[in-house]
Amino acid sequence: MKIQKILFVSHCILNTASKVVMYNDEEMAQEEALRRRFVHAALDAGVQLIQLPCPEFTLYGTKRWGHTSNQFDNPFFRSHCRKLLEYPLMEIEVYMADPARFKVLGFVGIDGSPSCGVDYTCVGPWGGNLGGREDLGSLAADVRLVKKAGVFFDELEKLLKERGAVLNRTGLLASEPEKVMKLLV
Ligand code: SF4
């Protein structure tokens, strides 16, 4: 019997309608090109894609602002992430219990996301009411990528560790396209 390969992916890899509205067209076009390349390659390789829930959409809907990971790094958001991950973790358990039929290849997130970053997330001192501020330009610019996971994937990592599961994971990042493609092999 042929082993089926399974990959868990961030929600917006299959549904970009869940994403924060972005205004940097060039950046978005590069990410979209890689997303399409990756999804097409996964389908061609017969890899089954399982969609994780979107932790931000399920709290704030479609009109949310962009955030930094500092804003989500609190027990309430972490608890929300843990609850969302309960079902996917049970799915993983079931597939991993039958290695003769299934191989779980790992996880793909979205690098730079405050939630779904895997190798990189964004940090910055954002927060507070926007009205009356005169430093909005510098505040918006005061955000940078750092080499660590976003809050959702950080919680995922902890939950996997608690279960003794070791699985590959990486993030979709237009400037490093090959790392996500490697997961399909
Ligand atoms: S929170 Fe994750 S799944 Fe949701 S839009 Fe952002 S990167 Fe995509």
Side-chain angles (χ1 to χ4, degrees), residues 10-12 18-19 54-56 64 110 113 115-116:
S10 276
H11 188 94
C12 60
S18 64
K19 290 179 85 68
C54 173
E56 297 179 21
R64 65 190 187 277
I110 303 287
S113 161
S115 304
C116 294

Side-chain angles (χ1 to χ4, degrees), residues 10-16 18-19 31 35 51-52 110:
S10 276
H11 188 94
C12 60
I13 287 181
L14 297 176
N15 169 28
T16 58
S18 64
K19 290 179 85 68
E31 185 179 300
R35 183 186 78 88
Q51 188 180 36
L52 293 167
I110 303 287

Side-chain angles (χ1 to χ4, degrees), residues 139-153:
L139 191 69
D142 196 3
V143 59
R144 63 188 197 285
L145 284 190
V146 295
K147 236 179 168 336
K148 66 174 193 171
V151 176
F152 186 66
F153 268 76

Side-chain angles (χ1 to χ4, degrees), residues 147-184:
K147 236 179 168 336
K148 66 174 193 171
V151 176
F152 186 66
F153 268 76
D154 188 46
E155 285 304 315
L156 173 64
E157 189 167 337
K158 286 184 198 160
L159 290 164
L160 289 171
K161 238 183 221 160
E162 285 168 20
R163 287 158 177 75
V166 182
L167 288 166
N168 290 326
R169 50 196 169 274
T170 194
L172 193 106
L173 181 65
S175 59
E176 297 177 19
E178 293 314 319
K179 64 188 185 126
V180 80
M181 303 305 290
K182 271 192 209 151
L183 262 194
L184 293 175

